[in-house]
Amino acid sequence: MTKTIEALQSGEISSGHGLNQEIALKRVGDTRWGSQYGTILRLISLFPSVLNVLEYVKEDGNNSEHRGEACHLLNDIVNAMALVKVSKQRLQTIRDDGWSLLLDEVSLFCDKHNITIPKMDDTFVSQGRSRRKAQNISNLHHFQVEIFYQVVDRQLQELNNRFTKVNTELLLCIACLNPRHSFFVFDKKKLIQLAQFYPLEFSSTQLLALDSQLENFILDVHPDDQFSNLNGIGALA
């Protein structure tokens, strides 16, 4: 607690009031990536205090279960799809160019808190296994390939599974039918693309006709008062 107060006084960590309070760890939501990210950020900020608490629980915990745990713990469719796309690009950039920066940040953190940093060129030895039984890989390979790359690849795979290219384009195309603000997001090209996702419903001849029909549609609804105050696709239907 003393270290937390000192950190607050020095400005190393910040505190607010009510919803802005930032000096406590939050429970992580199982599927909320933002919650997990926020918890990690707070853990980094409060690391010395968290370490002190864990050491206290390890020595003076109420039961063996607590002591054992302490030992182990030492706006809308378009915007959403745009954020998914950005997330994929960021993850790919991190995978391609982020290892060196992450290693530097982790090294600084370890130096600050007197945590031993393994030499990257040394042979990696898993806990509980002798060097003779260890795989012949370096610490660098273990941390970069077996951990860093795998974590990023799994995040990318999950995003790709949840938001395939077709699903993403489908949602973006449907959003072009939104009549709000006098059909501000109307996009004829994307609506034709939407029709192309349904080849059994739209033949090649019908797709050619759709181009002209969509031009007629937008010219027809723009000046019509009954379409001026619609708030969604449901209202348009």
Side-chain angles (χ1 to χ4, degrees), residues 40-174:
I40 291 173
L41 292 180
R42 291 192 179 189
L43 178 60
I44 293 173
S45 298
L46 297 170
F47 185 79
S49 299
V50 171
L51 197 61
N52 288 338
V53 171
L54 291 175
E55 289 175 350
Y56 170 79
V57 174
K58 178 182 176 182
E59 299 297 331
D60 303 306
N62 293 329
N63 54 56
S64 59
E65 181 181 355
H66 289 169
R67 291 193 293 271
E69 289 176 353
C71 289
H72 285 95
L73 285 176
L74 282 174
N75 283 56
D76 59 23
I77 291 174
V78 175
N79 285 338
M81 291 302 99
L83 288 175
V84 169
K85 183 177 180 180
V86 168
S87 297
K88 290 182 179 180
Q89 292 174 337
R90 283 291 308 277
L91 283 170
Q92 190 61 53
T93 299
I94 290 171
R95 192 192 191 285
D96 294 340
D97 306 311
W99 166 252
S100 295
L101 178 61
L102 176 63
L103 183 60
D104 290 342
E105 291 179 355
V106 171
S107 298
L108 288 173
F109 182 87
C110 291
D111 286 339
K112 180 178 179 180
H113 298 288
N114 297 317
I115 299 173
T116 302
I117 305 173
K119 295 181 179 179
M120 292 295 106
D121 293 334
D122 285 355
T123 299
F124 169 74
V125 178
S126 178
Q127 286 187 340
R129 300 181 63 183
S130 67
R131 286 187 175 273
R132 286 185 297 179
K133 295 182 180 180
Q135 299 179 23
N136 189 24
I137 61 172
S138 66
N139 285 322
L140 177 63
H141 178 88
H142 171 69
F143 290 114
Q144 183 177 13
V145 177
E146 296 184 343
I147 296 181
F148 177 73
Y149 285 161
Q150 285 203 29
V151 168
V152 176
D153 287 345
R154 287 183 181 182
Q155 293 288 344
L156 278 170
Q157 187 61 53
E158 183 173 354
L159 280 176
N160 287 330
N161 289 341
R162 289 174 180 260
F163 303 97
T164 65
K165 184 176 181 180
V166 172
N167 288 343
T168 301
E169 289 299 321
L170 184 63
L171 291 172
L172 289 173
C173 292
I174 290 175

Side-chain angles (χ1 to χ4, degrees), residues 77 171 173-180 183 230-237:
I77 291 174
L171 291 172
C173 292
I174 290 175
C176 294
L177 289 170
N178 193 335
R180 295 186 64 185
F183 294 87
L230 301 182
N231 293 318
I233 297 177
L236 173 64

